[in-house]
Amino acid sequence: MNWILKSAAAIALLATQAAAGTTLKFATDSGAEGSPSGNALKRWAELIEEGSGGEIDVRVFYQNQLGGQLELFDLFVAGEVDMLLSWPSTSYDKRIGLLYTPYMVTSWEEAFDAYKPGGWANETLNEAFEGLGIRYYGAWPEGFAGVATRGGYALDLESADGMKVRTPPFFPMPQTLQAMGYQTAAIDWSEVFTSIQTGVVDGDAGNVIYWDYEYFRDVLDYYVRTKHVFVTGSLIANAMSMEGLSQEHQDLVRDSAITVMQERFETARAEDEKYVRKAVESGMEYFELTDEQLRPMVEKVRAEVWPQLEADLGPEILSKMREHAK
């Protein structure tokens, strides 16, 4: 509980210091200052401060400054943090697991259509977050995930047998990699480097190449773009925090979030490709799987994991997924 007391004290101090105006607390659970997600959070904050003519003061907190991923989301739901750029936990509503559904989309074009305002995934996530007192403004896409390893790699289901990889600690990420043939270990982000370095796992599975290059390239040799999940953050706001603002300022927060989302949709693919080049230049070997190589993985994962999702997502959402799947 020590981190909660410290975080609450820090937030209370900020509120006191800014008593003369409106202060909003923005945070991200993944990304230090200067990282792509950190820059996006800062951009959202700046748009609001500028658009409000200085009437709103935004305080920005980066990864781990207010606690870990799950801890920060707890603070957000409780209203201690107002806005998040988050990769949210499914512990509050299993329908949020739609964000982590394997092979829901297999191309950038499909992803854009699903997550854009009015897209089927966007609308579904709006419904899920609304029940938690959260307003969902849209996706902050990173790209397609892969499997980054040391000492060996797998380009097919058979080769993955015997390899153990880290996955994020929430359903259905471990189940997805298991269906792809891997052994898995659900490990917190802060422990991933040491786990790879000491051989607890052979690598990391569930991230776009940026994270594996930026944080783990010293202990990784290979990156295979399995595309098993389209990785995207979420631009979200605490509904009670929003209701405390004027309608003009509520519109400003929403419109600024949509601007950040649209900018990211325009640049995400190029940035992802940039980090592929950086990883290769650093000595990592990169594999882009063909549609033919991917097909057995897609078919097996959809057959084994999608039925497990029905209890959490509901038959209606699963039906939408099947309708849009390619």
Side-chain angles (χ1 to χ4, degrees):
M1 297 296 291
N2 191 43
W3 69 267
I4 297 178
L5 297 175
K6 289 182 178 178
S7 298
I11 291 169
L13 177 61
L14 290 174
T16 301
Q17 291 173 338
T22 299
T23 300
L24 298 176
K25 283 86 68 179
F26 278 39
T28 183
D29 55 36
S30 301
E33 184 174 6
S35 68
S37 53
N39 290 339
L41 186 70
K42 183 179 179 182
R43 167 74 168 151
W44 190 10
E46 289 173 346
L47 286 171
I48 291 169
E49 289 185 331
E50 293 169 4
S52 69
E55 293 179 8
I56 298 177
D57 178 48
V58 180
R59 304 298 172 91
V60 176
F61 299 89
Y62 300 99
Q63 176 182 318
N64 293 329
Q65 290 184 339
L66 294 178
Q69 189 173 28
L70 299 179
E71 298 159 345
L72 179 59
F73 198 73
D74 287 342
L75 284 173
F76 172 65
V77 172
E80 298 293 341
V81 174
D82 302 301
M83 283 76 185
L84 278 186
L85 171 51
S86 175
W87 286 254
S89 165
T90 60
S91 59
Y92 284 91
D93 190 318
K94 296 297 185 182
R95 291 177 296 173
I96 296 173
L98 181 67
L99 288 165
Y100 312 113
T101 297
Y103 293 118
M104 185 178 78
V105 296
T106 55
S107 72
W108 282 87
E109 291 73 24
E110 285 180 75
F112 293 163
D113 286 342
Y115 284 108
K116 69 184 180 183
W120 73 269
N122 188 299
E123 291 179 347
T124 299
L125 288 164
N126 259 311
E127 295 173 6
F129 281 117
E130 185 178 10
L132 300 175
I134 295 171
R135 297 186 184 180
Y136 175 79
Y137 294 127
W140 190 81
E142 292 187 277
F144 285 97
V147 179
T149 53
R150 68 183 303 185
Y153 59 90
L155 302 182
D156 52 44
L157 296 168
E158 292 74 22
S159 301
D161 185 36
M163 298 185 70
K164 188 173 185 179
V165 293
R166 173 264 177 184
T167 67
F170 42 74
F171 177 80
M173 294 300 286
Q175 291 79 4
T176 298
L177 273 296
Q178 289 163 16
M180 294 165 63
Y182 294 93
Q183 297 177 36
T184 64
I187 296 172
D188 187 76
W189 177 253
S190 62
E191 300 172 5
V192 177
F193 184 93
T194 303
S195 296
I196 299 172
Q197 186 181 46
T198 57
V200 173
V201 291
D202 298 308
D204 173 50
N207 281 303
V208 295
I209 198 167
Y210 164 79
W211 297 100
D212 290 314
Y213 163 78
E214 190 68 26
Y215 289 87
F216 313 130
R217 63 180 179 270
D218 290 342
V219 292
L220 292 172
D221 302 319
Y222 309 101
Y223 188 94
V224 180
R225 182 85 70 175
T226 51
K227 301 176 78 170
H228 56 279
V229 66
F230 185 74
V231 184
T232 176
S234 297
L235 295 160
I236 50 181
N238 181 282
M240 289 186 64
S241 298
M242 291 297 293
E243 289 164 5
L245 302 176
S246 67
Q247 188 60 52
E248 179 184 1
H249 286 167
Q250 290 186 47
D251 293 344
L252 174 63
V253 171
R254 179 201 63 213
D255 293 345
S256 298
I258 291 174
T259 295
V260 171
M261 177 184 64
Q262 290 173 335
E263 290 175 349
R264 180 63 180 179
F265 269 119
E266 293 171 1
T267 62
R269 191 170 189 172
E271 183 165 281
D272 186 63
E273 292 170 351
K274 178 182 76 175
Y275 281 100
V276 169
R277 294 192 296 271
K278 284 179 172 287
V280 171
E281 290 168 1
S282 73
M284 195 180 298
E285 193 167 354
Y286 173 80
F287 299 90
E288 181 83 28
L289 299 183
T290 66
D291 289 345
E292 184 177 350
Q293 288 174 305
L294 282 172
R295 189 171 295 111
M297 298 180 193
V298 174
E299 292 176 351
K300 190 169 186 290
V301 168
R302 286 179 176 173
E304 294 185 9
V305 179
W306 280 23
Q308 298 178 49
L309 291 165
E310 185 167 0
D312 292 338
L313 300 182
E316 183 179 345
I317 294 177
L318 202 64
S319 177
K320 286 183 181 180
M321 285 167 46
R322 296 190 188 282
E323 177 186 344
H324 291 90
K326 296 181 180 179

